[in-house]
Amino acid sequence: MSGEGSPTPSLEGAARLRVGLVAASWHEQVMGGLLAGARAALADAGV
């Protein structure tokens, strides 16, 4: 997967945005990667 065509988030007022992330504990390695990706995407969007 190249990531080509992936959306580029642009959130006006994102610095004030509050986001809750919920993850299961059934597979720590998978959940860890998903959480890291979500956190990185939020950081890239300025949240």
Side-chain angles (χ1 to χ4, degrees), residues 12-39:
E12 187 175 324
R16 296 185 316 261
L17 187 63
R18 294 179 63 179
V19 176
L21 299 174
V22 179
S25 60
W26 65 271
H27 197 298
E28 289 184 29
Q29 186 175 12
V30 171
M31 292 286 97
L34 291 171
L35 282 172
R39 287 180 178 130

